[in-house]
Amino acid sequence: MTEPAGETAPEAPEDVEPAEDDAPQEPAEADAAVEAEGAVEAEESQEPAETAEAEETAEAAVADAADEADEADEADEADEDQEAAATGAEAADTPEAPKTPELSDAQAELAAQRELRARIEARKAEKEGPLASGAKLSGTAADLLAAVRAVEGGAASGTTFFEAAEPAPRRPAPETAPAMTVRPPVPAQAPAPAPGTTAAVREVLAKGGAPEALAGQVAAALGEAAAQVLLDDPWQLLSVSGVRPEQADGFARALLGAACGPDDPRRAVALTVWLLERAALQGHTALEIGAVRAGLAGHSVPDPEAAVEEAVSAAAVLVFQEEETPEEEPEGDEEPAEAVAEEPASPVLLGLDRYAMAEESLADGLARLVRTATADSWEGSELERAAGTHGLVLHTGGEASRVEPVALAAAARERGLRVLVAVHADAGRRALGAAGAEAVTVAALLSGAAGPGRDEEGTLALDLLVVLDAPQLDVETAAVLVESLPDGCRLVLSGDPEVLGAPGAGRVFTDVLAARVCPRIASRLPDPGPLGELVSGIGAGELNQVEAPGKEIVIVPVRDAGEAVHRTVQLVADSVPRAIGVPPEQTQVVTVGHGGSAGTRALNVALKQRLNPGPGRFGGYDPGDRVAFAPAPGRTVTGTVLSADAEGLRLRCGDEELLVPKERVESALRHGWALTAHQAAGARWPAVVVVLPGDAAGGLSRPWVYTAFGRAERHLSVVHGVDQALARAVAEGAAPERTTRLRPLLEALLATPEE
């Protein structure tokens, strides 16, 4: 039932045309194919004959092989080179070049052939260079497909085919001041597509029976050639967020007629990418190959195995298998250890390039910070001593423990260091009190809207960065953040490992904790009061009965979803303001999902009708409405509607005024009296009403309950309609695991043998 807080529009894979050459090959056949492609290089490696006649014959063979392997333009260039060489030979006979030895026709021909050979070699080197993406992807698609089959069939181990990634070149020490490539900050809003592009897309959508309202999203996702892309491959419509496979199938049938079917290779590729993008919304950066095949089978793909191979051949997805460290053989007369059942090989994973690159970049960046930090002896708390000695430190604890990294930042400033504290949301910055005045959000830091700015190398001018709410970092945001830090900068990641993970792909904080590659400082500060006692017990798997003499915790039992909505409105509008003294604008409702009879949509309708009734004359919104705005996927900002004009809707979010363009109101804005726990993570309110209708039982887990209940500062009301499901979720309901690659990547770079 839980619905992801933010969605990322899937990137469109490249157009794929079925080709017989893409068929999988056995390793020996793949080698033969490589040899065929490299015929030119093989011929070139031979030593020239002693006589001019033999040399001419060998060079002619090179030219013939080159003509077969290269495009027509290369042959044309070769002819031009030969003519140029001949012209040069003729020029050598002229009086203007008396010192140049006279060349015969054969020698001139040989010179031209040598130049041709050099040009072919350069072109071949460019074409057959290593792939920039995918750490464990072999040089050719054929080798990859053979590797997948061999590993799964048990004929070979993963290390036979999947070579370990060479670590990216380490940047030298700071004093060398090397040139540095820095990824530019991600813009808050992508540029709008050209009107002509949108109009062309609208025509194609109308021809295929798809809603013309999707034209803007399609143009933004597929680029300036979006209309032609859709005509060539209608299943690229799946690159638009919210489009389902059955809708894309209907669109394809309308455009292609009998030319399309469930086994169309274009459909196979698009569905494979769509499954991985959907998995990213659940937090996965990769999926086991078996899970992808099962997903394809569920969408009526006749041969899921061939569909996966097609997607790999088209380079739409990448294949990974982590290498296993071989066990050391016993030395000398040592007796071998008793036979132990072999552990299963690590699974074969499929992933998208964007997440693979992000995880590899993040792992390498964290390793760089660890290796370039200069150890120093800092006096003070355990956290301060660890930060002085190491480039990367993890800090764990509840809400009360946030004072410790803030104190670390203050002490570092007194030492003359350039220090910054970053939080997930504006509400988290305000919760720091006076210290929040110098804190920034991660999004504002990366966009350049706040923070110290960047130096001449493009890196942030910092000596220490403290990131609170670190569990809310998705892998792409974390990669950009770490890439922006200079060599020698210290990074402290602080957060509560019990809360829900990031709404985007990855589990950065959990993976770095599990990798055990840096100091981990656990806070001993307990959260105070009845609310702190309740939440701490939930983190330990116990739903305790807590004494709340000041009505800090109130349980409101309900029988059905309709009563849950009614009691929620009553609590926000009347009971909490009267009994607790917290006004409705400072009370936040948290529920399990957006849909359902008591989800955010139903609750927001009821709360608006009571708290700010109006016709919704500005795209469904009125001045005074509470809203949740998603400026970027996975990030939610709460605010209030101020007004509207021709440009869009104007909001007040904290101390800032924001403009939501009218074309983004429908997709990026929701009413915000009620939020999901994912949207609420990283922020707190004086009063919180958690709504648990009967149909919410399936969406509950211990991290969900821990996160939702922990959003309250002074008062928590629980609208309870799930009976014993709440206690079971706290005791047994672990959150679903996310499939990621960051932990093994970090261990390979930084792990040291345990003593």
Side-chain angles (χ1 to χ4, degrees):
M1 177 175 174
T2 305
E3 184 172 327
E7 295 185 353
T8 305
E11 292 182 352
E14 297 177 1
D15 294 342
V16 180
E17 294 295 338
E20 295 180 358
D21 294 341
D22 290 337
Q25 301 173 339
E26 296 299 326
E29 296 173 350
D31 293 340
V34 173
E35 291 175 3
E37 293 177 357
V40 175
E41 288 81 357
E43 292 287 341
E44 292 166 359
S45 64
Q46 300 176 359
E47 294 294 330
E50 295 294 334
T51 64
E53 179 180 354
E55 189 169 4
E56 290 175 7
T57 303
E59 296 293 345
V62 172
D64 293 339
D67 290 339
E68 295 176 0
D70 294 329
E71 299 294 338
D73 61 334
E74 292 180 332
D76 294 340
E77 291 173 3
D79 293 338
E80 293 172 4
D81 294 338
Q82 294 175 11
E83 292 175 4
T87 303
E90 294 174 3
D93 295 333
T94 62
E96 286 76 10
K99 295 183 180 181
T100 304
E102 184 174 338
L103 295 176
S104 66
D105 292 341
Q107 290 173 323
E109 177 68 17
L110 285 176
Q113 293 290 353
R114 290 192 187 97
E115 184 175 354
L116 168 64
R117 182 175 57 187
R119 294 172 65 86
I120 292 174
E121 183 176 3
R123 285 176 176 263
K124 287 290 182 180
E126 293 176 358
K127 292 180 180 179
E128 298 180 3
L131 295 175
S133 63
K136 304 184 188 302
L137 191 64
S138 62
T140 65
D143 286 340
L144 255 176
L145 299 178
V148 173
R149 288 181 168 180
V151 172
E152 289 184 302
S157 65
T159 56
T160 304
F161 301 104
F162 296 85
E163 299 181 356
E166 296 184 4
R170 300 286 182 263
R171 286 185 282 192
E175 58 267 20
T176 59
M180 187 175 160
T181 301
V182 179
R183 183 184 302 175
V186 179
Q189 180 181 346
T197 301
T198 305
V201 170
R202 189 176 293 109
E203 292 181 6
V204 177
L205 293 175
K207 182 178 178 182
E212 296 183 26
L214 293 176
Q217 293 175 268
V218 173
L222 301 182
E224 294 298 322
Q228 188 60 47
V229 169
L230 283 182
L231 289 172
D232 294 339
D233 184 358
W235 286 280
Q236 291 300 311
L237 191 64
L238 285 171
S239 62
V240 176
S241 177
V243 175
R244 303 283 303 172
E246 53 270 22
Q247 296 167 329
D249 287 340
F251 179 68
R253 283 192 297 269
L255 288 182
L256 303 178
C260 72
D263 59 345
D264 193 302
R266 294 168 293 183
R267 182 175 187 264
V269 173
L271 278 176
T272 303
V273 172
W274 181 81
L275 287 171
L276 291 174
E277 287 286 7
R278 293 292 295 176
L281 297 178
Q282 314 270 332
H284 305 283
T285 59
L287 281 182
E288 291 190 21
I289 194 169
V292 176
R293 288 173 177 163
L296 292 171
H299 289 286
S300 304
V301 175
D303 190 348
E305 183 176 357
V308 169
E309 293 172 353
E310 182 69 32
V312 173
S313 297
V317 300
L318 305 180
V319 182
F320 308 97
Q321 187 180 43
E322 305 304 333
E323 290 191 351
E324 299 177 358
T325 305
E327 296 184 1
E328 296 182 1
E329 296 291 336
E331 298 180 0
D333 298 332
E334 293 183 14
E335 296 183 1
E338 295 183 4
V340 181
E342 292 186 3
E343 295 184 0
S346 56
V348 178
L349 303 178
L350 294 178
L352 298 175
D353 180 82
R354 58 183 290 193
Y355 301 118
M357 292 292 291
E359 284 187 305
E360 292 162 10
S361 174
L362 176 58
D364 188 67
L366 292 174
R368 172 177 59 83
L369 295 181
V370 169
R371 291 167 177 162
T372 58
T374 303
D376 195 2
S377 297
W378 290 5
E379 299 296 330
S381 66
E382 183 181 9
L383 179 59
E384 290 180 54
R385 295 195 301 271
T389 308
H390 299 85
L392 175 64
V393 178
L394 304 180
H395 174 262
T396 62
E399 291 295 329
S401 69
R402 294 163 70 93
V403 300
E404 295 176 339
V406 171
L408 163 67
R413 288 191 188 95
E414 293 178 357
R415 292 184 173 91
L417 300 181
R418 301 170 297 176
V419 182
L420 188 66
V421 176
V423 297
H424 176 68
D426 279 320
R429 182 170 58 85
R430 293 191 294 272
L432 298 178
E438 298 181 347
V440 301
T441 64
V442 172
L445 175 63
L446 294 180
S447 68
R454 299 177 183 259
D455 60 19
E456 62 277 1
E457 292 183 336
T459 58
L460 295 168
L462 290 173
D463 300 311
L464 170 64
L465 176 64
V466 176
V467 180
L468 305 182
D469 313 310
Q472 300 307 305
L473 284 175
D474 64 88
V475 68
E476 291 184 302
T477 302
V480 176
L481 183 66
V482 172
E483 286 176 1
S484 301
L485 298 179
D487 289 350
C489 181
R490 290 170 166 81
L491 175 64
V492 175
L493 300 177
S494 176
D496 191 339
E498 302 296 332
V499 302
L500 286 169
R507 50 175 189 177
V508 174
F509 194 62
T510 301
D511 282 343
V512 181
L513 277 172
R516 296 179 175 272
V517 295
C518 64
R520 299 173 298 167
I521 309 300
S523 174
R524 298 177 178 84
L525 287 177
D527 290 337
L531 282 169
E533 183 181 350
L534 174 65
V535 173
S536 297
I538 292 171
E542 300 177 358
L543 188 63
N544 300 319
Q545 295 288 337
V546 176
E547 295 292 332
K551 297 183 179 180
E552 293 89 350
I553 304 169
V554 174
I555 307 298
V556 182
V558 294
R559 292 165 296 189
D560 54 39
E563 185 180 2
V565 173
H566 172 73
R567 295 304 300 271
T568 299
V569 174
Q570 185 181 52
L571 284 166
V572 174
D574 297 326
S575 302
V576 172
R578 184 177 64 252
I580 310 301
V582 178
E585 58 269 20
Q586 295 181 15
T587 301
Q588 183 61 57
V589 176
V590 178
T591 189
V592 176
H594 295 303
S597 52
T600 61
R601 297 188 185 98
L603 287 167
N604 278 318
V605 169
L607 287 164
K608 173 175 172 55
Q609 184 177 0
R610 177 64 183 275
L611 298 175
N612 194 47
R617 59 185 182 276
F618 302 136
Y621 301 91
D622 295 298
D625 279 358
R626 283 179 64 176
V627 291
F629 173 49
R635 189 166 73 91
T636 299
V637 178
T638 57
T640 305
V641 175
L642 295 178
S643 62
D645 53 33
E647 295 182 345
L649 211 59
R650 300 192 179 275
L651 314 178
R652 176 170 293 282
C653 299
D655 299 330
E656 300 180 33
E657 290 190 12
L658 300 179
L659 171 66
V660 182
K662 58 182 179 181
E663 63 270 12
R664 297 197 64 205
V665 168
E666 183 177 358
S667 61
L669 207 63
R670 297 178 185 264
H671 282 104
W673 286 283
L675 303 174
T676 65
H678 273 106
Q679 290 176 314
R684 301 186 83 204
W685 292 267
V688 169
V689 178
V690 176
V691 184
L692 304 175
D695 59 356
L700 297 181
S701 65
R702 183 190 303 168
W704 192 96
V705 178
Y706 185 93
T707 303
F709 286 19
R711 300 310 93 204
E713 295 175 343
R714 292 170 49 192
H715 173 78
L716 171 67
S717 286
V718 181
V719 179
H720 194 335
V722 292
D723 296 327
Q724 297 302 313
L726 178 60
R728 285 197 302 271
V730 170
E732 307 168 1
E737 286 291 327
R738 300 185 178 193
T739 303
T740 61
R741 299 173 52 241
L742 180 59
R743 176 181 176 179
L745 289 172
L746 281 173
E747 289 173 342
L749 288 171
L750 291 174
T752 56
E754 295 185 3
E755 297 182 0

